Amino acid sequence: MTSLLEVRDLRTEFHARDGAGTVRAVDGVSFSLAAGATLGIVGESGCGKSTLARSILRLVEPKSGTILFEGEDVRALPQRRLASLRRHMQIVFQDPYASLDPRQSVGAILAEPLEIHRIGNRSSRRARVAELLDLVGLGKEAAEKFPHEFSGGQRQRIGIARALSLSPKLVVADEPVSALDVSIQSQILNLLVSLRERLGLSYLFISHDLAVVEHISDWVLVMYLGRIVESGPVEAIYARPSHPYTQALISAIPQAAAGGRAGRIVLAGDVPDPEHPPPGCPFHPRCPKAMPRCATEPPAERAVPASASTHRVVCHLF
Ligand code: SF4
């Protein structure tokens, strides 16, 4: 499969709240995403996964690094070209209610991207809105209603329809099911899977929920304090989680979803303040396997022995 998206050594920084120094929200991230595939990005809140997605879409400006979308250098594009490239890169947000304008009908919400990009006329746009509603499992009568008339799951279907209105190639889904009831989550996940197959989409799927990521992803990145700590094919990551952080996250999946994986690892403390990341391995204050060198020496990325050759981990245990 050819690469749709290639990210190399991407770095995004923010000013620290105290005005002195910077926060490395994304710190040297590299990966590639094949056309038609789903890359799951996991980690606790504050690990940098949403900033990574927004940096790729240039909703926040990265400090350095390369983003190639179908071979085109996204960071080098002037704003006008970027606007047209964004047709092919769309985002689905966590909270569908907050992201839908309550004063607009669903038909107007779905037609708006087409109007902005001057695609079609009134009647072709109306037909496209009906087609989008059908794609996400809502009847065309939904076009006349307003967001508050729908349930949370239905609103997320509208959010997905809006993301699809310009026929994108890449959809960034940022915690798209975490605001929904568990029973509704699987419906939305199944919808995303079937849309990927029908429309040949690629997804960057961001979630703190490893059971959800396992369900939908081909490839997984585990992030901690802005860096990738483990990456590889989904089967390898879940069969042989190798970084102690990944092991702890996977051990927290409810047993039914985790296929009987035993022994929950409870991590000490919260994610450290990203303004003051710990030296050495940034995970060392919480790591149940930390050694003296972990406090001073940053680990390098290595292949995980006896696993897929593309399964990589950043830890002194390897
Ligand atoms: Fe734990 Fe050390 Fe590995 Fe970091 S490098 S994850 S502290 S064992």
Side-chain angles (χ1 to χ4, degrees), residues 243-244 281 283-284 287 289-291 294 299 315-317:
H243 195 282
C281 169
F283 186 56
H284 84 264
C287 180
K289 297 181 180 169
M291 306 167 278
C294 301
C315 173
H316 287 311
L317 293 171

Side-chain angles (χ1 to χ4, degrees), residues 3-6 35 67-74 85 88 169:
S3 189
L4 178 73
L5 177 70
E6 184 109 26
I67 306 162
L68 299 175
F69 184 79
E70 295 190 307
E72 192 154 22
D73 186 346
V74 174
L85 188 80
H88 304 300
K169 295 174 181 170

Side-chain angles (χ1 to χ4, degrees), residues 57-197:
L57 299 175
R58 280 187 61 193
L59 299 174
V60 296
E61 281 298 334
K63 176 173 179 262
S64 63
T66 306
I67 306 162
L68 299 175
F69 184 79
E70 295 190 307
E72 192 154 22
D73 186 346
V74 174
R75 290 197 62 227
L77 290 178
Q79 280 300 331
R80 240 189 44 187
R81 279 285 299 125
L82 182 62
S84 76
L85 188 80
R86 283 225 180 95
R87 278 184 64 174
H88 304 300
M89 305 163 83
Q90 294 288 313
I91 188 162
V92 174
F93 295 97
Q94 173 179 355
D95 182 348
Y97 199 57
S99 67
L100 301 174
D101 183 346
R103 295 159 304 176
Q104 283 193 312
S105 70
V106 169
I109 288 169
L110 298 184
E112 191 175 39
L114 301 166
E115 286 161 11
I116 290 170
H117 287 268
R118 298 201 176 95
I119 296 170
N121 53 30
R122 262 177 87 129
S123 98
S124 70
R125 288 198 283 263
R126 199 174 305 125
R128 176 65 176 152
V129 166
E131 185 184 16
L132 288 165
L133 288 168
D134 183 55
L135 262 179
V136 299
L138 295 170
K140 61 177 185 295
E141 62 282 357
E144 309 303 324
K145 297 184 181 172
F146 288 80
H148 74 267
E149 297 180 71
F150 294 90
S151 68
Q154 288 170 327
R155 284 199 289 263
Q156 194 55 296
R157 287 175 190 266
I158 297 164
I160 293 167
R162 183 180 54 183
L164 297 178
S165 62
L166 297 170
S167 305
K169 295 174 181 170
L170 172 68
V171 173
V172 175
D174 189 359
E175 300 272 10
V177 298
S178 53
L180 305 175
D181 290 346
V182 174
S183 58
I184 308 294
Q185 286 188 358
S186 54
Q187 292 174 16
I188 297 296
L189 284 175
N190 290 338
L191 173 66
L192 289 169
V193 170
S194 82
L195 289 170
R196 180 181 66 183
E197 267 135 45

Side-chain angles (χ1 to χ4, degrees), residues 179-232:
L180 305 175
D181 290 346
V182 174
S183 58
I184 308 294
Q185 286 188 358
S186 54
Q187 292 174 16
I188 297 296
L189 284 175
N190 290 338
L191 173 66
L192 289 169
V193 170
S194 82
L195 289 170
R196 180 181 66 183
E197 267 135 45
R198 283 171 73 180
L199 305 176
L201 298 169
S202 303
Y203 293 135
L204 271 187
F205 190 93
I206 297 163
S207 180
H208 68 282
D209 184 334
L210 271 84
V212 164
V213 167
E214 183 177 24
H215 181 81
I216 197 164
S217 305
D218 304 298
W219 198 272
V220 176
L221 304 182
V222 183
M223 286 188 72
Y224 191 76
L225 280 182
R227 301 179 197 177
I228 296 173
V229 296
E230 185 163 358
S231 61

